[in-house]
Amino acid sequence: MTAQLNPRGDVAVLVPAAGAGVRLGPGRPKALRLLAGEPLLVHAVRRLAAAPSVHTIVVAAPAAEVAAVRELLAPVAPVTVVPGGAERQASVAAALAAVPAGPAIILVHDAARALTPPELVESVAAAVRGGRAAVIPVLPVVDTIKEVDAGEVVLGTVDRSALRAVQTPQGFRRSVLTAAHAAAGDSLTDDAGLVEKQGVAVSCVPGSEYALKITRPFDLALAEHLLAAAD
Ligand code: CTP
Ligand code: MG
């Protein structure tokens, strides 16, 4: 069943989905690889569409797959699909350019974080709505982290209590993200990194284990288990 987006919602979500998925191994672009019989992108968009604040979803697809992705997503939710770029930042910029007038909050969400719950989308959006210019979901770092030199010899132990692992969706006041992208050179950083460079404060909210990024075959296997356990 096709989800309805909220015409009174104040959130547009950009979904960079144009990556190859090299680390997942040979096969189709990562967003189109199957998880429990459905492409990762379908899982991701279904969960975004279930978040009540979402007004618009713009997907940046692999350039050769734009028509296929439109067809794939038509039964899932009303989405705009644009061709992505060679780097993630270019894909986000292409999606940003396609957002209609209206939504005051923009979220940027990796298709690869296919199991991200709608509740996390809402909590990031709520923090922006509440006055934060930029918001990222984070988890504490559980492993001990060492800094090493080029020869893999330990230089020191980093204070883990001050570190956070960053997820998506990352949320922004629309004007803040637009300005950061306009000012961005060819730097390869995440969207919050672009905003940090503008001197804007970036705030954290609690992330979710389900927002894991599916990067390697192990992550795909883990996601299969999480889905099966949730049934
Ligand atoms: N992405 C994108 N355009 C690119 C590169 C990445 O839209 N040129 C998207 C991916 O589709 C993914 C998200 O950015 O949803 C995070 O990237 P990553 O997990 O690195 O995915 P891939 O680049 O596809 O994977 P890999 O780096 O292993 O090739
Ligand atoms: Mg990549």
Side-chain angles (χ1 to χ4, degrees):
M1 207 184 70
T2 308
Q4 299 295 307
L5 300 183
N6 180 1
R8 286 196 295 277
D10 57 358
V11 174
V13 190
L14 316 181
V15 187
V22 170
R23 288 168 289 179
L24 208 48
R28 300 200 70 197
K30 180 159 75 180
L32 302 177
R33 303 280 185 103
L34 300 185
L35 165 61
E38 292 185 303
L40 291 180
L41 183 58
V42 168
H43 289 278
V45 167
R46 187 182 290 131
R47 287 165 176 76
L48 291 171
S53 299
V54 173
H55 172 282
T56 298
I57 299 174
V58 183
V59 173
E65 306 279 358
V66 170
V69 167
R70 270 191 198 122
E71 205 169 310
L72 180 71
L73 294 178
V76 181
V79 298
T80 302
V81 182
V82 299
E87 305 292 347
R88 182 183 179 280
Q89 190 180 306
S91 297
V92 173
L96 182 58
V99 177
I105 298 170
I106 302 208
L107 268 49
V108 184
H109 182 52
D110 292 331
R113 298 183 188 271
L115 299 187
T116 300
E119 293 76 17
L120 185 61
V121 175
E122 287 300 316
S123 76
V124 170
V128 178
R129 197 176 292 123
R132 307 289 186 172
V135 175
I136 57 175
V138 301
L139 290 178
V141 172
V142 292
D143 290 310
T144 298
I145 305 287
K146 304 279 187 193
E147 187 182 1
V148 298
D149 68 12
E152 291 289 305
V153 174
V154 171
L155 295 171
T157 304
V158 182
D159 177 13
R160 185 173 64 191
S161 67
L163 298 180
R164 301 290 180 270
V166 178
Q167 303 180 319
T168 75
Q170 301 188 352
F172 306 91
R173 203 178 294 151
R174 184 173 184 157
S175 55
V176 166
L177 185 66
T178 306
H181 267 265
D186 50 5
S187 66
L188 299 178
T189 176
D190 67 337
D191 307 284
L194 292 180
V195 166
E196 282 163 52
K197 280 192 185 167
Q198 300 291 103
V200 175
V202 177
S203 306
C204 300
V205 297
S208 164
E209 300 283 0
Y210 285 88
L212 80 155
K213 184 154 76 74
I214 297 171
T215 305
R216 290 154 300 213
F218 180 87
D219 307 317
L220 196 55
L222 178 58
E224 296 262 4
H225 281 286
L226 290 172
L227 264 184
D231 280 343

